[in-house]
Amino acid sequence: PPVADAEAAKLKMPKLVSARVEETIGDEWRDSWKVHFKPFPLCPELWIAPPWEKFEPPKGQQKLVLEPGRAFGTGLHESTALVAQILYRRREDVKGKAVLDVGTGSGILSLVALRLGAGKARGIDTDVDAISVAEENAVRNKMAPKCSFDATPLKKLVGEFPIVVANIEADALIGISKDLLRHVKSGGLLVLSGILENRMRDVEAAFIKSAKLAHAMQKGEWVALAFEKK
């Protein structure tokens, strides 16, 4: 906390590192990121907007009001956008269906699926704080009756879903591949994201025996894979 300690630490930094000391008074730093969170199109016909921005989407398009709070998922990350774009591409398959969102974070993908016509959504996450944030976002968008969020571990989850999405990261997806596949109905859609381009083949190999790779999408260095369970 003392500025003197910070200055002393600065002097100990390697010469190759350019360091400076800044002091922030109060809690303004907690909300400073909000300056950069403006309304934007996540996928065709769907915009994301923070609650502190007054925004109406173009005629004929929809919006989600999203406050990520303590959870991952503003939609700005490529991995999230890729899942949304695949769900939009497969929106006829999504309509009226139940969706399981593994690692739901802010609940964004569950809410996107509902905006695209899904009948209901269930999001699970190991982070209890994320569950609260997702529930708040569901209420904010008047979707609470159609979705639920909880911290049930994937291994203990019961039931199959026609649509399953998981935006986590390659090693985690590979580690839970059998559990993910167990919850996808035969012929159902499984969308995986959070995969760096150089890990795409590793993830594909973990799922290809039980599911057909329908298509892959890439944005920057990130890849999303859509499988159809055999």
Side-chain angles (χ1 to χ4, degrees), residues 118-195:
K120 58 183 179 179
R122 179 176 180 180
I124 61 173
D125 203 297
T126 57
D127 183 352
V128 177
D129 283 343
I131 300 304
S132 299
V133 171
E135 289 173 340
E136 290 165 8
N137 282 320
V139 171
R140 188 173 280 117
N141 288 281
K142 299 179 180 179
M143 292 182 178
K146 289 188 175 183
C147 56
S148 63
F149 301 97
D150 58 78
T152 303
L154 185 61
K155 282 185 177 295
K156 294 184 178 180
L157 193 68
V158 176
E160 293 181 329
F161 297 77
I163 311 289
V164 177
V165 300
N167 177 23
I168 311 176
E169 56 90 25
D171 287 329
L173 291 171
I174 293 169
I176 62 174
S177 58
K178 291 181 180 179
D179 290 313
L180 281 172
L181 287 163
R182 181 166 54 88
H183 293 295
V184 185
K185 281 187 175 180
S186 179
L189 179 66
L190 173 63
V191 184
L192 308 176
S193 193
I195 307 163

Side-chain angles (χ1 to χ4, degrees), residues 21-42:
V21 173
E22 293 183 1
E23 188 172 2
T24 303
I25 306 300
D27 292 334
E28 289 182 9
W29 63 273
R30 296 179 189 275
D31 295 323
S32 61
W33 63 273
K34 292 182 178 180
V35 175
H36 308 287
F37 188 14
K38 302 290 183 182
F40 67 97
L42 180 65

Side-chain angles (χ1 to χ4, degrees), residues 47-93:
W47 290 69
I48 300 295
W52 55 85
E53 291 274 348
K54 290 184 178 180
F55 170 78
E56 288 302 323
K59 188 176 180 180
Q61 300 192 20
Q62 304 184 82
K63 74 172 178 179
L64 272 177
V65 179
L66 199 79
E67 161 67 274
R70 306 169 298 282
F72 174 81
T74 59
L76 289 167
H77 196 275
E78 292 91 336
S79 63
T80 310
L82 285 168
V83 179
Q85 288 162 17
I86 288 175
L87 291 176
Y88 177 80
R89 179 174 175 175
R90 299 290 296 263
R91 59 194 181 281
E92 290 304 318
D93 299 316

Side-chain angles (χ1 to χ4, degrees), residues 78 82 197 218-223:
E78 292 91 336
L82 285 168
E197 182 182 10
Q218 184 167 355
K219 192 171 184 181
E221 61 182 346
W222 298 93
V223 175

